[in-house]
Amino acid sequence: MSEGEVQSVREMIRMQLQKVQERGVGLYMDDRPATPDEVACRYVQEQNVYMPDYVLNEMGILEQVRFDRIGPQ
């Protein structure tokens, strides 16, 4: 993937996460609150693999998206 393509993917993810956060959904990365910028920058890296975990409340409404590193470390 070229640097331009990586930047494009990061920007797309950042914009999507910003919209999610504006709806009141909390964003977390490695068990800490995170901004859309932080998630997008760290999520789009070849040396780290992150898995999003979608946390719903008792009514089935999305409350949090938690990104946890699953490998390699």
Side-chain angles (χ1 to χ4, degrees):
M1 202 182 249
S2 73
E3 184 59 32
E5 291 170 321
V6 169
Q7 290 295 354
S8 179
V9 169
R10 277 188 185 137
E11 183 60 19
M12 180 185 67
I13 291 171
R14 187 196 64 75
M15 288 173 39
Q16 290 174 346
L17 291 173
Q18 187 170 351
K19 288 177 185 177
V20 167
Q21 190 178 49
E22 288 170 358
R23 291 193 307 244
V25 175
L27 300 176
Y28 294 82
M29 183 158 256
D30 294 326
D31 295 322
R32 294 183 311 112
T35 66
D37 291 331
E38 180 182 4
V39 174
C41 285
R42 291 178 59 197
Y43 189 68
V44 183
Q45 293 181 7
E46 291 183 30
Q47 64 268 30
N48 293 315
V49 177
Y50 283 89
M51 180 179 68
D53 182 23
Y54 301 94
V55 180
L56 308 177
N57 67 13
E58 57 278 343
M59 296 176 59
I61 298 171
L62 183 63
E63 278 190 342
Q64 299 176 358
V65 181
R66 303 183 76 84
F67 293 87
D68 297 310
R69 184 174 26 217
I70 58 172
Q73 298 187 21

